Amino acid sequence: MRQIFIFLLVAIGTFIIDQNIKTWAVEAVNGVEYATIIKGSCIDLELHYNRGVAFSMLAFLGPYLKWLQALLVVGILFFILKENYLKRYAFPVGLLIGAALGNVYDRFIHEGVVDYVAWHCGFKYSVFNYADVAIDIAIVWIIIMVYFYPQKSQNR
């Protein structure tokens, strides 16, 4: 029961933080795409709507992409619950699911994921948001737990 509470708290918290930051970014420029909010030397805050996935891949799927991603999130959540991974990974899975739902929600509301952090030092261009960072942290966290802190076998 404790793991479910942690999972829900982290997932809901991540979703709320993500959506509040995105609302701020959209309102800061009145929803005008590619408008700069703050200009920096390596990082700018500017509004983008990513209609694809990473680096705008799969944008050709148009409105079907949001349904495909929603189905993927539901499938991942089903697998996590079925295999009882919440017992060990409640916090990182909460980050992952909360952030994924934040990005899927954007697709339904804004017809694309709201991205606002534009990093342009060292390579051409990368634009991302809080949810993307939360997903990356969740994946790294799970990988570290799997490879550096393996679960002890119960067969000993």
Side-chain angles (χ1 to χ4, degrees):
M1 192 62 161
R2 180 175 178 250
Q3 288 83 10
I4 292 173
F5 177 74
I6 291 169
F7 163 74
L8 288 173
L9 187 66
V10 174
I12 292 167
T14 301
F15 181 85
I16 290 170
I17 292 168
D18 176 58
Q19 289 303 306
N20 278 307
I21 295 171
K22 289 173 179 176
T23 299
W24 169 80
V26 170
E27 289 176 355
V29 293
N30 296 321
V32 176
E33 191 169 8
Y34 305 118
T36 301
I37 303 165
I38 299 173
K39 185 89 169 136
S41 59
C42 281
I43 297 175
D44 298 339
L45 295 181
E46 58 185 43
L47 182 63
H48 292 262
Y49 294 102
N50 186 349
R51 287 164 178 76
V53 292
F55 304 105
S56 296
M57 293 185 298
L58 304 179
F60 67 89
L61 291 175
Y64 300 110
L65 184 57
K66 63 185 170 193
W67 295 104
L68 183 63
Q69 284 187 316
L71 184 63
L72 183 63
V73 172
V74 169
I76 290 170
L77 186 57
F78 175 77
F79 177 75
I80 287 167
L81 294 173
K82 181 179 173 282
E83 297 296 322
N84 200 25
Y85 285 127
L86 280 188
K87 183 176 182 180
R88 181 145 194 239
Y89 306 107
F91 197 99
V93 166
L95 273 177
L96 180 72
I97 297 298
L101 289 174
N103 282 344
V104 170
Y105 179 80
D106 285 355
R107 293 193 183 285
F108 283 92
I109 301 303
H110 301 288
E111 297 181 13
V113 174
V114 175
D115 286 334
Y116 47 83
V117 179
W119 181 318
H120 49 80
C121 277
F123 49 90
K124 180 68 177 155
Y125 214 69
S126 177
V127 184
F128 54 95
N129 61 44
Y130 173 84
D132 298 336
V133 174
I135 290 168
D136 292 342
I137 289 170
I139 297 299
V140 169
W141 188 329
I142 291 168
I143 290 170
I144 288 171
M145 288 182 73
V146 166
Y147 288 105
F148 295 106
Y149 303 99
Q151 207 167 11
K152 295 189 176 22
S153 175
Q154 303 215 4
N155 295 335
R156 291 185 182 176

